[in-house]
Amino acid sequence: MSVWPAWEVREGERATRWLHVRLAFGDGARIDALATVCEGWVCVEDVRARPALALEDLALFADWIEAPLARASGAETGPDPGDGAGTGAHRDRSARPRGPREQGLVARAYRAAQERGADPVLAVMNETGYSRRGALRLIGRARDAGLLPSRHARR
């Protein structure tokens, strides 16, 4: 993996850095990205991949590059995900339940938010640490497993 600076914007003590990231694989596959690092947060602005990435792979890509980007920008983070640990601002997903237990957790968070009159998708995001798209994917899986009612009532 290669990381090099694109540009930086400073406002007082705060700095936002944009960095280019390139991953090249032995089989000729390549991923180029532009990422932003600011106060411990990493945001992937643009990604170009040959061959194309699936959404699940894109989420893994963001987690995988977080620590190297933070190091390149001078920020401190935890160990690399390549070392088997979680990183920076994201929750440690390795300790979270998977499969049916995860779907049960999603369904409970979703229903509790509905009962409170809160946004159920935001509740699932807060509970799991996933982005909105990831939370929606988990909610769909919980629906498919029969733990949540279908989205549209059938007549």
Side-chain angles (χ1 to χ4, degrees):
M1 177 179 355
S2 303
V3 178
W4 66 96
W7 64 89
E8 179 177 320
V9 175
R10 290 194 170 272
E11 185 178 326
E13 300 265 331
R14 183 176 164 190
T16 302
R17 295 173 177 94
W18 282 263
L19 301 159
H20 292 286
V21 179
R22 175 171 290 156
L23 276 83
F25 299 92
D27 63 357
R30 189 168 109 181
I31 303 171
D32 290 307
L34 178 65
T36 307
V37 179
C38 180
E39 295 182 357
W41 289 94
V42 173
C43 178
V44 177
E45 301 283 338
D46 184 41
V47 176
R48 295 174 190 215
R50 300 266 184 219
L53 293 173
L55 285 176
E56 292 84 15
D57 296 333
L58 186 58
L60 292 173
F61 170 74
D63 287 342
W64 196 64
I65 66 171
E66 185 175 16
L69 283 174
R71 274 197 309 277
S73 68
E76 287 297 317
T77 65
D80 264 333
D83 297 337
T87 62
H90 293 284
R91 287 188 181 192
D92 183 5
R93 293 186 181 146
S94 63
R96 199 171 25 85
R98 301 260 184 217
R101 291 185 59 213
E102 180 179 52
Q103 292 169 356
L105 174 78
V106 167
R108 283 190 299 278
Y110 189 94
R111 281 195 209 105
Q114 276 185 324
E115 290 171 6
R116 290 190 319 267
D119 181 3
V121 177
L122 185 60
V124 172
M125 289 169 60
N126 288 335
E127 189 67 32
T128 62
Y130 277 104
S131 67
R132 186 164 189 84
R133 285 184 180 172
L136 288 169
R137 193 174 323 117
L138 290 174
I139 291 167
R141 289 180 188 153
R143 280 195 176 106
D144 291 344
L147 300 172
L148 291 171
S150 63
R151 188 167 172 200
H152 301 288
R154 297 202 173 136
R155 298 179 187 189

